[in-house]
Amino acid sequence: MIHMPAGEFVMGEGDDAHSVYVDACYVAEHPVTNSAYQRFVEATERTPPRHWSRGQWQPVLGDHPVVNVSWHDAVAYCRWLTGVTGQVHRLLTEAEWEKAARGPEGHTYPWGSDFDDARCNCWEAGIGRTTRVDAFPSGSSPYGVMDMCGNVWEWCSTLYAAYPYCAGDGREDLEAAGWRVLRGGSWYDAEWGARAARRLSSDPGQASHNTGFRVGREP
C-alpha cells in the first residue's frame, strides 16, 4: 500500500476540470490479482469468476489482475479484507483514483503528458490480454502506483454522476442504486480510453473480461 497525502488536485479535463480536495489514504500499488482473489473465494465460498476452470485460475495467471468480477464482488472483497486485517479496506473513490493516477501535477497519463505504449498494456501495445501487475514499472504514477493506465478497468466506489465531483452529494453511498464508475482503461482499449481523467460506468452487477479492481485503505 502506498500513502497518498491529503491535498487538492485538478480533476477532469477540458470544460470539466475542477479542483477537488482529497483526504490522505493508502492506495494499493497494484490491482487485486487472481491469487489474492482466490484466497477470498476460498474463505467466503463466493462464486469465482466465470472463466476460472473448476473454480481456480490458471497458475500462470496468478500475478495477473482478476477479471470477471462485479462491483458487488469488489465491495465484498474489501469487507472481507477489512475483517482479516483489522484495518478498513475499501474501493477508492473516483477522486482518489484519479489523484493517484495523475499526481498533483495533473498528468494526462500516469507518467506524463505524452502517450507511450511501452509504459502500459493498451491496444497499441498489441498484447491482447492481461499482463502481470508489475509488468510496466516505467508507467507508474507520481506516487508509484502501477497499472493506472491499461491492463484492466477498475471499479471505484462512486456512482456515475455529473461533475463537479462532490463526495457529500450521495454519489459515495454504497447502498444507492445506479451505475458505478470505472477507471483506467484496459488491454482492449486504445490510448484515448486510458487517459487518467477518462470515465466509464457500468451496471454494478455486471462482470467483464477486462474489468477488475484495486483497493484503498484508511490511514
Side-chain angles (χ1 to χ4, degrees), residues 98-112:
E98 186 171 330
K99 182 180 178 182
R102 304 183 77 176
E105 297 82 8
H107 291 167
T108 303
Y109 303 97
W111 55 84

Side-chain angles (χ1 to χ4, degrees), residues 38-60:
Q38 186 173 23
R39 291 194 288 273
F40 159 68
V41 169
E42 291 173 347
T44 64
E45 298 185 348
R46 196 171 186 89
T47 302
R50 59 177 179 264
H51 68 290
W52 284 12
S53 176
R54 298 181 181 179
Q56 186 172 3
W57 42 269
Q58 298 177 33
V60 71

Side-chain angles (χ1 to χ4, degrees), residues 152-169:
V152 293
W153 285 99
E154 299 179 12
W155 289 111
C156 293
S157 60
T158 314
L159 285 168
Y160 191 86
Y163 280 161
Y165 175 87
C166 177
D169 64 3

Side-chain angles (χ1 to χ4, degrees), residues 93-168:
T93 68
E94 181 181 17
E96 289 170 340
W97 193 100
E98 186 171 330
K99 182 180 178 182
R102 304 183 77 176
E105 297 82 8
H107 291 167
T108 303
Y109 303 97
W111 55 84
S113 299
D114 298 319
F115 181 72
D116 183 351
D117 62 16
R119 295 176 181 263
C120 63
N121 181 11
C122 290
W123 181 266
E124 289 81 358
I127 298 171
R129 56 179 172 78
T130 61
T131 48
R132 299 188 329 270
V133 295
D134 60 354
F136 293 93
S138 65
S140 62
S141 80
Y143 297 110
V145 184
M146 297 189 190
D147 265 3
M148 301 297 271
C149 176
N151 216 0
V152 293
W153 285 99
E154 299 179 12
W155 289 111
C156 293
S157 60
T158 314
L159 285 168
Y160 191 86
Y163 280 161
Y165 175 87
C166 177

